[in-house]
Amino acid sequence: MPPTASQNGREVVPILDFGGQTAQLIARRVRDVGVFSLLVRPDISARDLRAMNPKGIILSGGPKSVYEPGAPHCDPAIFDLGVPVLGICYGLQLAAHLWGGKVAAHSRREFGRAQLHVESPNELFQGIPDRTTVWMSHGDQITDAASFFSPLASTPTCELAAVKARTRPFYGVQFHPEVTHTPHGIDLLRNFVFEICKCEGSWKMSDFAERAAAQVRESVGDAHVICGLSGGVDSAVTAALLQKAIGRQLHCVFVDTGLLRKGERTLVETTFRDHFKIDLHVVDAEKDFLADLAGVTDPQQKRLKIGHRFIEVFKHKAKSIPGATPTCLAQGTLYPDVIESGHGHSGQSAGIKLHHNVGGLPAELGFTLVEPLRELFKDEVRKLGAVLGLPDQIVWRHPFPGPGLAVRVLGEVTKPKLDVLRQADEILLEEIVAANLYRSTSQVFAVLLPVQSVGVMGDGRTYESTIALRAVETEDFMTADWAKIPYDILGRISNRIINEVRGVNRVVYDISSKPPATIEWE
């Protein structure tokens, strides 16, 4: 079970996760208005919930029907804790089902936008228009619950689109207020946490930094901690927070795999060794990684070989750090990692990713895991990085894959190919930054394709490589759309790459969305 609110002195609104695709979004939206929220198991006991001292409770949506065998249920005693409860979609139907109401498949299912009519305004709909658009995603409806629900709002095909319990502090909505397709959804959630739950909105990143640093000091004690730095925002913020918490007990290892972007090693050394005065150990392992990748073309084999080599290099370096016997391993595990690993609701450690999160090391070296960011979403990590004083170029940098450029060189990876890709990627990022598009795009990178084509340069025929440009916009990286970069900027990028990068005579732009494509090519 996660740390309780009473232990860390903050307001909390737990969310019982019944498997809905947007359960994480609920937590994000509640945090966005200044109240800490986290997902918990749907079968958490009322006793454990009470120990969290919640200001309110939210029941998420879910893919099943409440009357199906094996459908997740909650402890009915939750409704008797005396704190407000908001049921969303499945959460509303589950409350009706547990109280003896009828829930059944409806002849007219609702998937998509619907027009909501607020018939009985109360604190849940304060400041929300009487008629507004909401996002529906359900096939079941409550068909008999008049004895314990008062209707608040309806749609043309759903009489009980929003309700309030007659005798308990329970509110329910059949639509999804957490998605952007419900324009006033954030207002409804704000009303729930402030007007109904009486929260104060005390969730602040500066407070989190102090609290997290204190928790690290308490859990680590006199032990030394080793942290794998990748140059990415997650590991960078982890290192900065640990430096604040334990100072000289922290030892960072940066492995130069030879698969990094241009200037990556210099940026890490300048930031962490020179600015933060962190004990930084840099390992030059380019030859080993490239030797492992010789002749390898399968993307998964690339990842496995890189992960295995990284473990060997990291393990060797960790054992050789002078004057320290590290017993703890720090990782930049984030809240979505915890949830998606399947362990987030039981308090177990998240599944460890290859390469940057140093897969396999805790078991092999007997390390105790230190994961100070495991309660945070990506945007919150950036906010924490700013609070800790990290430079913008690290705080706001785009995600970079663990295997590095190896999965952006399609086919066999060689040093000449990496050098070509590094030059093209640097030009791309320079122009994106110059056009003030870096913050408005979520990820931008170049890919070297295993394709050569005919071209003309001067009066001569060329037969050279192709660079693909990829730029996407996304909120959560689960889905993404290609970024509509202005043609003149794309033209400038293309001209520079073809003119400045020897060996490239063609540039293409990837206009695929995720799904069906992935963001990375491999």
Side-chain angles (χ1 to χ4, degrees):
M1 181 180 162
T4 67
S6 58
Q7 289 173 329
N8 54 38
R10 64 185 168 194
E11 299 176 322
V12 63
V13 175
I15 299 165
L16 274 64
D17 181 8
F18 292 101
Q21 293 182 350
T22 57
Q24 283 191 44
L25 273 180
I26 304 171
R28 288 178 64 101
R29 300 294 181 249
V30 174
R31 292 188 188 188
D32 284 346
V33 301
V35 177
F36 184 72
S37 184
L38 77 171
L39 303 185
V40 297
R41 298 178 59 98
D43 59 354
I44 185 173
S45 69
R47 179 180 179 180
D48 285 342
L49 270 180
R50 183 186 292 109
M52 297 176 71
N53 192 25
K55 298 289 288 187
I57 298 168
I58 297 177
L59 311 182
S60 84
K64 293 183 177 293
S65 295
V66 295
Y67 48 81
E68 284 183 36
H73 284 191
C74 66
D75 183 347
I78 287 171
F79 302 109
D80 298 321
L81 291 177
V83 299
V85 179
L86 174 65
I88 296 175
C89 197
Y90 182 95
L92 165 60
Q93 295 170 6
L94 179 60
H97 179 71
L98 293 176
W99 295 346
K102 293 183 181 178
V103 179
H106 196 267
S107 58
R108 295 185 64 182
R109 300 185 300 172
E110 286 186 304
F111 293 97
R113 290 180 175 85
Q115 289 301 308
L116 185 77
H117 178 209
V118 181
E119 300 160 348
S120 302
N122 73 346
E123 58 268 36
L124 188 64
F125 287 95
Q126 183 172 304
I128 297 176
D130 291 344
R131 295 187 182 274
T132 185
T133 301
V134 296
W135 184 263
M136 291 285 196
S137 181
H138 66 98
D140 294 340
Q141 286 191 24
I142 301 169
T143 59
D144 179 16
S147 61
F148 40 82
F149 283 155
S150 298
L152 299 178
S154 64
T155 69
T157 58
C158 182
E159 292 184 7
L160 297 176
V163 300
K164 181 182 184 303
R166 296 183 185 278
T167 60
R168 293 179 168 117
F170 176 88
Y171 299 78
V173 293
Q174 187 59 70
F175 54 89
H176 288 271
E178 69 273 20
V179 300
T180 55
H181 303 303
T182 301
H184 289 282
I186 189 68
D187 299 321
L188 186 144
L189 291 173
R190 185 183 292 109
N191 287 340
F192 177 70
V193 298
F194 292 124
E195 301 300 326
I196 296 173
C197 299
K198 305 301 181 184
C199 292
E200 296 179 0
S202 57
W203 168 243
K204 297 177 182 177
M205 197 50 63
S206 56
D207 294 337
F208 176 87
E210 295 296 333
R211 183 167 54 245
Q215 289 174 343
V216 167
R217 284 191 291 270
E218 181 180 353
S219 63
V220 168
D222 295 330
H224 288 262
V225 178
I226 189 166
C227 176
L229 266 178
S230 68
V233 63
D234 302 339
S235 68
V237 174
T238 298
L241 180 61
L242 290 173
Q243 175 70 2
K244 173 184 175 67
I246 58 174
R248 294 183 179 181
Q249 293 170 242
L250 173 66
H251 312 277
C252 289
V253 174
F254 177 77
V255 178
D256 185 349
T257 62
L259 307 171
L260 305 173
R261 281 176 165 165
K262 191 172 182 179
E264 190 90 4
R265 177 170 172 171
T266 301
L267 175 64
V268 169
E269 289 184 305
T270 300
T271 301
F272 294 96
R273 179 179 288 155
D274 300 342
H275 178 68
F276 280 97
K277 309 301 181 184
I278 285 175
D279 180 33
L280 178 64
H281 302 262
V282 177
V283 184
D284 189 348
E286 178 183 40
K287 290 182 180 179
D288 293 331
F289 280 91
L290 290 182
D292 290 341
L293 293 170
V296 178
T297 59
D298 180 74
Q300 187 61 11
Q301 283 300 311
K302 289 181 185 180
R303 292 176 181 273
L304 290 173
K305 285 182 175 293
I306 291 168
H308 177 74
R309 175 59 63 180
F310 190 89
I311 289 173
E312 292 301 312
V313 172
F314 192 97
K315 182 166 58 176
H316 176 75
K317 190 62 183 178
K319 291 180 177 179
S320 67
I321 294 176
T325 53
T327 57
C328 297
L329 175 69
Q331 292 193 155
T333 306
L334 305 190
Y335 196 40
D337 300 329
V338 176
I339 297 168
E340 291 170 8
S341 72
H343 301 306
H345 304 159
S346 59
Q348 301 175 37
S349 297
I352 303 162
K353 299 176 182 177
L354 289 179
H355 191 53
H356 284 338
N357 278 359
V358 203
L361 280 172
E364 292 187 26
L365 297 186
F367 282 162
T368 299
L369 279 182
V370 178
E371 299 173 306
L373 309 184
R374 62 181 287 117
E375 291 184 344
L376 301 183
F377 289 103
K378 190 76 170 187
D379 58 327
E380 294 171 329
V381 173
R382 296 190 193 280
K383 293 176 184 177
L384 177 59
V387 166
L388 293 170
L390 284 170
D392 282 355
Q393 63 190 124
I394 286 183
V395 170
W396 291 102
R397 73 183 336 201
H398 290 173
F400 189 66
L405 297 180
V407 292
R408 293 178 181 173
V409 172
L410 274 58
E412 184 182 10
V413 180
T414 65
K415 192 174 190 309
K417 290 181 180 179
L418 289 166
D419 289 339
V420 167
L421 180 57
R422 262 189 279 267
Q423 293 178 60
D425 196 64
E426 183 181 37
I427 291 170
L428 168 61
L429 291 176
E430 280 181 0
E431 293 297 334
I432 290 296
V433 171
N436 200 29
L437 293 175
Y438 193 79
R439 293 272 190 104
S440 61
T441 50
S442 303
Q443 197 166 356
V444 178
F445 57 91
V447 180
L448 179 63
L449 304 184
V451 174
Q452 290 187 310
S453 62
V454 174
V456 177
M457 289 186 176
D459 295 324
R461 175 184 180 275
T462 63
Y463 191 62
E464 295 180 330
S465 298
T466 302
I467 288 286
L469 308 180
R470 181 72 157 144
V472 298
E473 298 171 351
T474 179
E475 286 191 1
D476 54 15
F477 289 91
M478 302 300 292
T479 62
D481 196 10
W482 59 279
K484 280 63 175 180
I485 305 295
Y487 291 153
D488 61 328
I489 297 173
L490 288 174
R492 187 158 59 245
I493 294 167
S494 175
N495 287 337
R496 282 196 60 193
I497 290 175
I498 291 171
N499 289 328
E500 298 176 31
V501 182
R502 188 175 296 276
V504 176
N505 69 354
R506 191 177 298 270
V507 174
V508 298
Y509 189 51
D510 183 349
I511 59 170
S512 309
S513 297
K514 177 188 179 182
T518 54
I519 294 177
E520 296 286 347
W521 279 51
E522 285 193 341

